[in-house]
Amino acid sequence: MRSGVGARYYWCLFHNRVETDDNVCPGHRRLGPYPTVADAQSALTKVAERNAEWDAEDARWTGEQS
């Protein structure tokens, strides 16, 4: 796996692994790019956190929550 200045990392949704520009799957199978391996590894956690925040905001907006 390539690292260093300018390296980009992706989370592959098909293979469930970190990939780089050197071995990246097509765009519809990946999240990223991320600046570090750790960021790519935590991509799904970040997606879940953001979705929960957006769902809560939607519920507040529509009056479903008090």
Side-chain angles (χ1 to χ4, degrees):
M1 197 176 298
R2 186 174 87 184
S3 62
V5 177
R8 297 184 307 177
Y9 305 94
Y10 305 85
W11 181 256
C12 178
L13 299 165
F14 184 76
H15 295 108
N16 292 312
R17 69 179 184 203
V18 173
E19 297 180 343
T20 66
D21 287 325
D22 296 333
N23 70 339
V24 70
C25 281
H28 67 278
R29 290 186 174 176
R30 68 180 187 238
L31 300 174
Y34 298 96
T36 67
V37 171
D39 287 338
Q41 289 172 328
S42 65
L44 292 179
T45 300
K46 189 64 172 177
V47 166
E49 290 170 357
R50 287 181 179 161
N51 284 344
E53 290 171 9
W54 293 337
D55 288 346
E57 180 60 28
D58 287 347
R60 281 191 296 277
W61 179 259
T62 60
E64 296 173 23
Q65 264 185 341
S66 29

